[in-house]
PDB file of all heavy atoms in Angstrom:
ATOM      1  N   LYS A 151     -26.511  -7.373  25.664  1.00 98.00           N
ATOM      2  CA  LYS A 151     -25.395  -8.272  25.967  1.00 98.00           C
ATOM      3  C   LYS A 151     -25.502  -9.462  25.023  1.00 98.00           C
ATOM      4  O   LYS A 151     -26.605  -9.911  24.697  1.00 98.00           O
ATOM      5  CB  LYS A 151     -25.454  -8.735  27.422  1.00 98.00           C
ATOM      6  CG  LYS A 151     -25.396  -7.625  28.462  1.00 98.00           C
ATOM      7  CD  LYS A 151     -25.472  -8.214  29.857  1.00 98.00           C
ATOM      8  CE  LYS A 151     -25.338  -7.157  30.943  1.00 98.00           C
ATOM      9  NZ  LYS A 151     -26.526  -6.276  31.036  1.00 98.00           N
ATOM     10  N   GLU A 175     -23.650  -3.103  25.551  1.00 98.00           N
ATOM     11  CA  GLU A 175     -23.508  -2.399  26.832  1.00 98.00           C
ATOM     12  C   GLU A 175     -22.075  -2.481  27.344  1.00 98.00           C
ATOM     13  O   GLU A 175     -21.573  -1.602  28.038  1.00 98.00           O
ATOM     14  CB  GLU A 175     -24.469  -3.005  27.860  1.00 98.00           C
ATOM     15  CG  GLU A 175     -24.468  -2.241  29.177  1.00 98.00           C
ATOM     16  CD  GLU A 175     -25.590  -2.646  30.106  1.00 98.00           C
ATOM     17  OE1 GLU A 175     -26.283  -3.663  29.837  1.00 98.00           O
ATOM     18  OE2 GLU A 175     -25.771  -1.936  31.109  1.00 98.00           O
ATOM     19  N   TYR A 176     -21.378  -3.577  26.959  1.00 98.00           N
ATOM     20  CA  TYR A 176     -20.012  -3.777  27.480  1.00 98.00           C
ATOM     21  C   TYR A 176     -19.072  -4.412  26.455  1.00 98.00           C
ATOM     22  O   TYR A 176     -17.927  -4.033  26.322  1.00 98.00           O
ATOM     23  CB  TYR A 176     -20.120  -4.696  28.700  1.00 98.00           C
ATOM     24  CG  TYR A 176     -18.811  -5.159  29.252  1.00 98.00           C
ATOM     25  CD1 TYR A 176     -17.896  -4.246  29.767  1.00 98.00           C
ATOM     26  CD2 TYR A 176     -18.470  -6.513  29.265  1.00 98.00           C
ATOM     27  CE1 TYR A 176     -16.687  -4.666  30.291  1.00 98.00           C
ATOM     28  CE2 TYR A 176     -17.265  -6.951  29.780  1.00 98.00           C
ATOM     29  CZ  TYR A 176     -16.374  -6.027  30.297  1.00 98.00           C
ATOM     30  OH  TYR A 176     -15.173  -6.444  30.808  1.00 98.00           O
ATOM     31  N   LYS A 179     -16.281  -2.906  23.914  1.00 98.00           N
ATOM     32  CA  LYS A 179     -15.295  -1.967  24.454  1.00 98.00           C
ATOM     33  C   LYS A 179     -13.920  -2.605  24.365  1.00 98.00           C
ATOM     34  O   LYS A 179     -13.770  -3.820  24.111  1.00 98.00           O
ATOM     35  CB  LYS A 179     -15.653  -1.629  25.902  1.00 98.00           C
ATOM     36  CG  LYS A 179     -16.936  -0.822  26.025  1.00 98.00           C
ATOM     37  CD  LYS A 179     -17.429  -0.731  27.462  1.00 98.00           C
ATOM     38  CE  LYS A 179     -18.754   0.006  27.533  1.00 98.00           C
ATOM     39  NZ  LYS A 179     -19.389  -0.104  28.877  1.00 98.00           N
ATOM     40  N   ASP A 181     -11.638  -3.254  26.761  1.00 98.00           N
ATOM     41  CA  ASP A 181     -11.159  -4.228  27.750  1.00 98.00           C
ATOM     42  C   ASP A 181     -11.666  -5.647  27.510  1.00 98.00           C
ATOM     43  O   ASP A 181     -10.881  -6.593  27.627  1.00 98.00           O
ATOM     44  CB  ASP A 181     -11.428  -3.764  29.193  1.00 98.00           C
ATOM     45  CG  ASP A 181     -12.835  -3.233  29.444  1.00 98.00           C
ATOM     46  OD1 ASP A 181     -13.524  -2.848  28.479  1.00 98.00           O
ATOM     47  OD2 ASP A 181     -13.243  -3.198  30.613  1.00 98.00           O
ATOM     48  N   HIS A 212     -20.002   0.794  20.466  1.00 98.00           N
ATOM     49  CA  HIS A 212     -19.683   1.536  21.695  1.00 98.00           C
ATOM     50  C   HIS A 212     -18.657   0.731  22.454  1.00 98.00           C
ATOM     51  O   HIS A 212     -18.978  -0.388  22.879  1.00 98.00           O
ATOM     52  CB  HIS A 212     -20.980   1.712  22.519  1.00 98.00           C
ATOM     53  CG  HIS A 212     -20.763   2.298  23.868  1.00 98.00           C
ATOM     54  ND1 HIS A 212     -20.525   3.644  24.053  1.00 98.00           N
ATOM     55  CD2 HIS A 212     -20.724   1.727  25.074  1.00 98.00           C
ATOM     56  CE1 HIS A 212     -20.369   3.858  25.356  1.00 98.00           C
ATOM     57  NE2 HIS A 212     -20.491   2.718  25.996  1.00 98.00           N
ATOM     58  N   TRP A 216     -12.186   4.603  25.760  1.00 98.00           N
ATOM     59  CA  TRP A 216     -12.833   5.087  26.986  1.00 98.00           C
ATOM     60  C   TRP A 216     -11.931   4.803  28.170  1.00 98.00           C
ATOM     61  O   TRP A 216     -11.444   3.669  28.323  1.00 98.00           O
ATOM     62  CB  TRP A 216     -14.199   4.427  27.163  1.00 98.00           C
ATOM     63  CG  TRP A 216     -14.989   4.889  28.358  1.00 98.00           C
ATOM     64  CD1 TRP A 216     -15.016   6.155  28.887  1.00 98.00           C
ATOM     65  CD2 TRP A 216     -15.859   4.097  29.165  1.00 98.00           C
ATOM     66  NE1 TRP A 216     -15.859   6.188  29.975  1.00 98.00           N
ATOM     67  CE2 TRP A 216     -16.398   4.943  30.160  1.00 98.00           C
ATOM     68  CE3 TRP A 216     -16.264   2.765  29.136  1.00 98.00           C
ATOM     69  CZ2 TRP A 216     -17.306   4.491  31.124  1.00 98.00           C
ATOM     70  CZ3 TRP A 216     -17.161   2.304  30.081  1.00 98.00           C
ATOM     71  CH2 TRP A 216     -17.683   3.168  31.075  1.00 98.00           C
ATOM     72  N   ASN A 218     -12.552   4.154  31.127  1.00 98.00           N
ATOM     73  CA  ASN A 218     -13.037   3.098  32.035  1.00 98.00           C
ATOM     74  C   ASN A 218     -13.034   1.717  31.376  1.00 98.00           C
ATOM     75  O   ASN A 218     -13.580   0.763  31.935  1.00 98.00           O
ATOM     76  CB  ASN A 218     -14.477   3.407  32.479  1.00 98.00           C
ATOM     77  CG  ASN A 218     -14.504   4.324  33.683  1.00 98.00           C
ATOM     78  OD1 ASN A 218     -13.465   4.540  34.322  1.00 98.00           O
ATOM     79  ND2 ASN A 218     -15.655   4.878  33.990  1.00 98.00           N
ATOM     80  N   ALA A 219     -12.433   1.644  30.172  1.00 98.00           N
ATOM     81  CA  ALA A 219     -12.422   0.342  29.476  1.00 98.00           C
ATOM     82  C   ALA A 219     -11.031   0.059  28.926  1.00 98.00           C
ATOM     83  O   ALA A 219     -10.881  -0.453  27.819  1.00 98.00           O
ATOM     84  CB  ALA A 219     -13.453   0.347  28.349  1.00 98.00           C
ATOM     85  N   ASN A 260     -15.144   8.254  24.199  1.00 98.00           N
ATOM     86  CA  ASN A 260     -16.223   8.378  25.166  1.00 98.00           C
ATOM     87  C   ASN A 260     -15.709   9.110  26.405  1.00 98.00           C
ATOM     88  O   ASN A 260     -14.652   8.767  26.949  1.00 98.00           O
ATOM     89  CB  ASN A 260     -16.702   6.967  25.558  1.00 98.00           C
ATOM     90  CG  ASN A 260     -17.926   6.990  26.428  1.00 98.00           C
ATOM     91  OD1 ASN A 260     -18.865   7.725  26.166  1.00 98.00           O
ATOM     92  ND2 ASN A 260     -17.912   6.197  27.491  1.00 98.00           N
ATOM     93  N   GLU A 261     -16.429  10.186  26.810  1.00 98.00           N
ATOM     94  CA  GLU A 261     -16.199  10.853  28.103  1.00 98.00           C
ATOM     95  C   GLU A 261     -14.786  11.430  28.264  1.00 98.00           C
ATOM     96  O   GLU A 261     -14.119  11.203  29.280  1.00 98.00           O
ATOM     97  CB  GLU A 261     -16.514   9.868  29.239  1.00 98.00           C
ATOM     98  CG  GLU A 261     -17.946   9.350  29.180  1.00 98.00           C
ATOM     99  CD  GLU A 261     -18.277   8.336  30.266  1.00 98.00           C
ATOM    100  OE1 GLU A 261     -17.495   8.174  31.216  1.00 98.00           O
ATOM    101  OE2 GLU A 261     -19.328   7.687  30.159  1.00 98.00           O
ATOM    102  N   ASN A 307     -19.010  10.908  22.291  1.00 98.00           N
ATOM    103  CA  ASN A 307     -20.066  10.534  23.236  1.00 98.00           C
ATOM    104  C   ASN A 307     -19.718  11.013  24.639  1.00 98.00           C
ATOM    105  O   ASN A 307     -18.574  10.852  25.087  1.00 98.00           O
ATOM    106  CB  ASN A 307     -20.207   8.997  23.220  1.00 98.00           C
ATOM    107  CG  ASN A 307     -21.464   8.495  23.894  1.00 98.00           C
ATOM    108  OD1 ASN A 307     -22.576   8.882  23.529  1.00 98.00           O
ATOM    109  ND2 ASN A 307     -21.304   7.618  24.875  1.00 98.00           N
ATOM    110  N   GLN A 340     -25.430  10.891  26.268  1.00 98.00           N
ATOM    111  CA  GLN A 340     -25.798   9.653  26.957  1.00 98.00           C
ATOM    112  C   GLN A 340     -27.197   9.759  27.605  1.00 98.00           C
ATOM    113  O   GLN A 340     -28.011   8.849  27.500  1.00 98.00           O
ATOM    114  CB  GLN A 340     -24.762   9.310  28.023  1.00 98.00           C
ATOM    115  CG  GLN A 340     -23.417   8.926  27.434  1.00 98.00           C
ATOM    116  CD  GLN A 340     -22.398   8.530  28.481  1.00 98.00           C
ATOM    117  OE1 GLN A 340     -22.767   8.257  29.636  1.00 98.00           O
ATOM    118  NE2 GLN A 340     -21.125   8.510  28.128  1.00 98.00           N
ATOM    119  N   HIS A 342     -28.167   9.831  30.857  1.00 98.00           N
ATOM    120  CA  HIS A 342     -28.472   9.069  32.082  1.00 98.00           C
ATOM    121  C   HIS A 342     -29.136  10.059  33.026  1.00 98.00           C
ATOM    122  O   HIS A 342     -28.505  10.637  33.915  1.00 98.00           O
ATOM    123  CB  HIS A 342     -27.183   8.492  32.680  1.00 98.00           C
ATOM    124  CG  HIS A 342     -26.577   7.402  31.857  1.00 98.00           C
ATOM    125  ND1 HIS A 342     -27.216   6.212  31.601  1.00 98.00           N
ATOM    126  CD2 HIS A 342     -25.384   7.324  31.213  1.00 98.00           C
ATOM    127  CE1 HIS A 342     -26.452   5.436  30.837  1.00 98.00           C
ATOM    128  NE2 HIS A 342     -25.338   6.097  30.588  1.00 98.00           N
ATOM    129  N   GLU A 371     -27.677   6.621  25.553  1.00 98.00           N
ATOM    130  CA  GLU A 371     -27.720   5.709  26.714  1.00 98.00           C
ATOM    131  C   GLU A 371     -28.868   6.098  27.664  1.00 98.00           C
ATOM    132  O   GLU A 371     -28.726   6.122  28.859  1.00 98.00           O
ATOM    133  CB  GLU A 371     -26.380   5.740  27.453  1.00 98.00           C
ATOM    134  CG  GLU A 371     -25.181   5.448  26.579  1.00 98.00           C
ATOM    135  CD  GLU A 371     -23.856   5.505  27.320  1.00 98.00           C
ATOM    136  OE1 GLU A 371     -23.870   5.418  28.570  1.00 98.00           O
ATOM    137  OE2 GLU A 371     -22.801   5.621  26.674  1.00 98.00           O
ATOM    138  N   TRP A 418     -30.796   2.441  27.587  1.00 98.00           N
ATOM    139  CA  TRP A 418     -29.638   1.698  28.100  1.00 98.00           C
ATOM    140  C   TRP A 418     -30.039   0.419  28.826  1.00 98.00           C
ATOM    141  O   TRP A 418     -29.783   0.240  30.004  1.00 98.00           O
ATOM    142  CB  TRP A 418     -28.764   2.615  28.969  1.00 98.00           C
ATOM    143  CG  TRP A 418     -27.331   2.195  29.026  1.00 98.00           C
ATOM    144  CD1 TRP A 418     -26.623   1.841  30.149  1.00 98.00           C
ATOM    145  CD2 TRP A 418     -26.426   2.044  27.930  1.00 98.00           C
ATOM    146  NE1 TRP A 418     -25.336   1.498  29.812  1.00 98.00           N
ATOM    147  CE2 TRP A 418     -25.184   1.607  28.450  1.00 98.00           C
ATOM    148  CE3 TRP A 418     -26.517   2.241  26.550  1.00 98.00           C
ATOM    149  CZ2 TRP A 418     -24.063   1.371  27.660  1.00 98.00           C
ATOM    150  CZ3 TRP A 418     -25.410   2.002  25.753  1.00 98.00           C
ATOM    151  CH2 TRP A 418     -24.205   1.572  26.296  1.00 98.00           C
ATOM    152  N   TRP A 426     -27.642  -0.653  35.143  1.00 98.00           N
ATOM    153  CA  TRP A 426     -26.414  -0.372  35.915  1.00 98.00           C
ATOM    154  C   TRP A 426     -26.699   0.499  37.122  1.00 98.00           C
ATOM    155  O   TRP A 426     -25.860   0.680  37.992  1.00 98.00           O
ATOM    156  CB  TRP A 426     -25.391   0.315  35.017  1.00 98.00           C
ATOM    157  CG  TRP A 426     -25.796   1.710  34.629  1.00 98.00           C
ATOM    158  CD1 TRP A 426     -26.807   2.062  33.791  1.00 98.00           C
ATOM    159  CD2 TRP A 426     -25.221   2.934  35.119  1.00 98.00           C
ATOM    160  NE1 TRP A 426     -26.912   3.425  33.699  1.00 98.00           N
ATOM    161  CE2 TRP A 426     -25.942   3.993  34.494  1.00 98.00           C
ATOM    162  CE3 TRP A 426     -24.195   3.250  35.988  1.00 98.00           C
ATOM    163  CZ2 TRP A 426     -25.664   5.334  34.740  1.00 98.00           C
ATOM    164  CZ3 TRP A 426     -23.900   4.588  36.231  1.00 98.00           C
ATOM    165  CH2 TRP A 426     -24.637   5.610  35.613  1.00 98.00           C
ATOM    166  N   ASP A 433     -20.220   3.690  41.147  1.00 94.00           N
ATOM    167  CA  ASP A 433     -20.216   4.848  40.223  1.00 94.00           C
ATOM    168  C   ASP A 433     -21.128   5.961  40.707  1.00 94.00           C
ATOM    169  O   ASP A 433     -20.871   7.131  40.478  1.00 94.00           O
ATOM    170  CB  ASP A 433     -20.722   4.424  38.828  1.00 94.00           C
ATOM    171  CG  ASP A 433     -19.974   3.212  38.298  1.00 94.00           C
ATOM    172  OD1 ASP A 433     -18.734   3.199  38.437  1.00 94.00           O
ATOM    173  OD2 ASP A 433     -20.625   2.273  37.833  1.00 94.00           O
TER     174      ASP A 433
HETATM  175  O1  G3I B   1     -19.231 -10.241  31.951  1.00 73.93           O
HETATM  176  C1  G3I B   1     -18.199 -10.149  32.950  1.00 73.93           C
HETATM  177  C2  G3I B   1     -18.152 -11.407  33.777  1.00 73.93           C
HETATM  178  O2  G3I B   1     -17.777 -12.494  32.927  1.00 73.93           O
HETATM  179  C3  G3I B   1     -17.139 -11.239  34.880  1.00 73.93           C
HETATM  180  O3  G3I B   1     -17.172 -12.364  35.729  1.00 73.93           O
HETATM  181  C4  G3I B   1     -17.464  -9.981  35.697  1.00 73.93           C
HETATM  182  C5  G3I B   1     -16.369  -9.764  36.735  1.00 73.93           C
HETATM  183  O4  G3I B   1     -16.367  -8.391  37.110  1.00 73.93           O
HETATM  184  O5  G3I B   1     -17.492  -8.817  34.843  1.00 73.93           O
HETATM  185  C6  G3I B   1     -18.497  -8.968  33.847  1.00 73.93           C
HETATM  186  O6  G3I B   1     -18.427  -7.836  33.048  1.00 73.93           O
HETATM  187  C7  G3I B   1     -19.057  -6.684  33.606  1.00 73.93           C
HETATM  188  C8  G3I B   1     -19.970  -6.147  32.515  1.00 73.93           C
HETATM  189  O7  G3I B   1     -20.524  -4.846  32.853  1.00 73.93           O
HETATM  190  C9  G3I B   1     -21.097  -7.144  32.276  1.00 73.93           C
HETATM  191  O8  G3I B   1     -22.004  -6.619  31.371  1.00 73.93           O
HETATM  192  C10 G3I B   1     -17.979  -5.676  33.953  1.00 73.93           C
HETATM  193  O9  G3I B   1     -17.252  -6.150  35.077  1.00 73.93           O
HETATM  194  C11 G3I B   1     -18.623  -4.339  34.296  1.00 73.93           C
HETATM  195  O10 G3I B   1     -17.615  -3.352  34.489  1.00 73.93           O
HETATM  196  C12 G3I B   1     -19.486  -3.880  33.118  1.00 73.93           C
HETATM  197  O11 G3I B   1     -20.124  -2.670  33.496  1.00 73.93           O
HETATM  198  C13 G3I B   1     -20.572  -1.864  32.392  1.00 73.93           C
HETATM  199  C14 G3I B   1     -19.853  -0.513  32.511  1.00 73.93           C
HETATM  200  O12 G3I B   1     -20.349   0.397  31.488  1.00 73.93           O
HETATM  201  C15 G3I B   1     -18.352  -0.659  32.318  1.00 73.93           C
HETATM  202  O13 G3I B   1     -18.077  -1.151  31.022  1.00 73.93           O
HETATM  203  C16 G3I B   1     -22.076  -1.666  32.540  1.00 73.93           C
HETATM  204  O14 G3I B   1     -22.755  -2.884  32.275  1.00 73.93           O
HETATM  205  C17 G3I B   1     -22.565  -0.612  31.557  1.00 73.93           C
HETATM  206  O15 G3I B   1     -23.930  -0.288  31.787  1.00 73.93           O
HETATM  207  C18 G3I B   1     -21.744   0.675  31.697  1.00 73.93           C
HETATM  208  O16 G3I B   1     -22.160   1.555  30.675  1.00 73.93           O
HETATM  209  C19 G3I B   1     -21.517   2.834  30.685  1.00 73.93           C
HETATM  210  C20 G3I B   1     -21.263   3.229  29.244  1.00 73.93           C
HETATM  211  O17 G3I B   1     -20.452   2.266  28.612  1.00 73.93           O
HETATM  212  C21 G3I B   1     -20.651   4.615  29.179  1.00 73.93           C
HETATM  213  N1  G3I B   1     -21.511   5.593  29.838  1.00 73.93           N
HETATM  214  C22 G3I B   1     -21.775   5.244  31.250  1.00 73.93           C
HETATM  215  C23 G3I B   1     -22.431   3.881  31.346  1.00 73.93           C
HETATM  216  C24 G3I B   1     -22.756   3.525  32.782  1.00 73.93           C
HETATM  217  O18 G3I B   1     -21.588   3.399  33.514  1.00 73.93           O
END
Side-chain angles (χ1 to χ4, degrees):
K151 300 180 177 71
E175 185 169 10
Y176 172 63
K179 292 169 184 169
D181 47 340
H212 173 77
W216 183 35
N218 274 348
N260 187 45
E261 302 178 12
N307 194 56
Q340 292 182 16
H342 291 298
E371 306 179 19
W418 206 240
W426 69 290
D433 308 316

